[in-house]
Amino acid sequence: MQPIYFSKAGKLQLNKYVNGIPVRSATTSYFRNGAVQQITPNITINGSPIADGNSLWNAANPDTSIEGTLAVQLGFMPPELYAFIMGDTSEELTNTPFPVVDEEITIPTEAPYTVKLKHTPIDGTLIAVDKDAKPWTKAESAAEPGKYFINAANKDTLEFDADDAGKALFVSYDYLAAKATRFGLPKTPVRPAYQLVISTEATGEDDSLCEAAVIVDRCKVLGSINPPQQGGTPQSVTITFTILKPRGNNRAVDYTITPISE
């Protein structure tokens, strides 16, 4: 076969091992992994040199172990993928408490001295402080200087006294989100092994096009497993799969190339 180069990063699928066998199904496989930017394989063969007392050169250097990794760089981290590799499942929730932290508000300089919040706080969850972190308390029947009031008919609106006009406040509270997706790090992660399948394209020396498949018989995500970085500039996410001992006579990593018919 002529020399080739991979012209695309490829798309990957994970098939979870169940009872010692990789299973392809809607519940045990994952392949909607977003924008794959780069896939980088790395194979390291380790040896243990045997010294020769009569020579500066080692007498032999037998192979003692082999290490293989496959780093997948993603443009963003899909929540389902993070849950899948952490041994967790994502949940679709309805009407679930959701936090709002440090919502900044400014009391109007003219009447009415009311501020409508972004969401309706759950009773008993609202905390309000001023710029010096001094707490404001809730008034019982009407707004007072240094206190806010919440009318039962408009729980998303805070009422203030005229003496506090123009002041800035910061509030935190929980509200009921109509829909939410929850995933994360389980208390005791149980992460199975996977069969990793990569589908990509390659180009031959004569510019002929090929489809390429890479199959890692058994692997597991080890080392750092970082969720998306939080900040103003989007950052890529890299997941490193460590190649494990394959089953039976299977290859640890199997490459297959087929020409693309024109």
Side-chain angles (χ1 to χ4, degrees):
M1 180 178 177
Q2 62 177 298
I4 62 168
Y5 66 88
F6 291 102
S7 49
K8 291 186 178 181
K11 297 183 178 181
L12 62 94
Q13 175 173 317
L14 295 173
N15 299 319
K16 187 182 298 185
Y17 268 76
V18 180
N19 296 324
I21 301 173
V23 178
R24 294 168 57 101
S25 73
T27 57
T28 60
S29 300
Y30 183 83
F31 58 90
R32 287 289 300 133
N33 36 65
V36 179
Q37 296 180 331
Q38 184 172 294
I39 298 178
T40 306
N42 181 66
I43 304 297
T44 302
I45 298 178
N46 300 309
S48 180
I50 299 175
D52 185 337
N54 297 309
S55 173
L56 295 177
W57 296 95
N58 290 320
N61 196 333
D63 296 340
T64 56
S65 65
I66 185 169
E67 300 173 6
T69 61
L70 196 145
V72 179
Q73 181 176 307
L74 303 172
F76 43 81
M77 171 65 86
E80 289 284 353
L81 176 58
Y82 187 78
F84 194 77
I85 63 178
M86 293 307 298
D88 195 15
T89 56
S90 62
E91 301 175 76
E92 298 299 325
L93 307 175
T94 58
N95 296 323
T96 187
F98 198 90
V100 173
V101 179
D102 205 22
E103 181 178 330
E104 183 176 358
I105 62 175
T106 302
I107 301 170
T109 55
E110 298 180 355
Y113 303 106
T114 59
V115 176
K116 185 179 177 64
L117 300 175
K118 294 179 180 178
H119 305 280
T120 301
I122 298 173
D123 290 345
T125 65
L126 189 137
I127 303 170
V129 299
D130 63 16
K131 63 180 181 180
D132 297 317
K134 179 182 177 181
W136 282 43
T137 57
K138 179 182 176 182
E140 294 298 326
S141 57
E144 303 174 23
K147 294 184 178 183
Y148 62 88
F149 176 70
I150 300 178
N151 191 307
N154 298 295
K155 292 186 177 182
D156 63 347
T157 301
L158 305 184
E159 300 178 9
F160 297 92
D161 190 87
D163 289 348
D164 295 321
K167 293 182 179 179
L169 294 179
F170 304 86
V171 297
S172 293
Y173 56 90
D174 290 351
Y175 74 96
L176 287 178
K179 294 182 179 180
T181 300
R182 182 170 62 189
F183 68 100
L185 177 62
K187 182 178 180 180
T188 306
V190 179
R191 297 179 295 106
Y194 305 103
Q195 179 191 57
L196 174 61
V197 181
I198 300 172
S199 175
T200 184
E201 291 184 10
T203 301
E205 190 177 32
D206 62 356
D207 293 329
S208 60
L209 298 179
C210 302
E211 289 182 322
V214 181
I215 299 177
V216 179
D217 189 66
R218 289 178 67 242
C219 65
K220 199 170 188 178
V221 180
L222 299 175
S224 298
I225 306 173
N226 300 318
Q229 179 177 322
Q230 298 172 209
T233 303
Q235 300 290 329
S236 59
V237 176
T238 299
I239 303 172
T240 301
F241 295 90
T242 297
I243 300 171
L244 304 176
K245 179 182 177 181
R247 297 166 294 151
N249 295 323
N250 290 350
R251 294 186 177 94
V253 182
D254 209 347
Y255 287 84
T256 305
I257 309 294
T258 183
I260 297 178
S261 300
E262 295 183 358

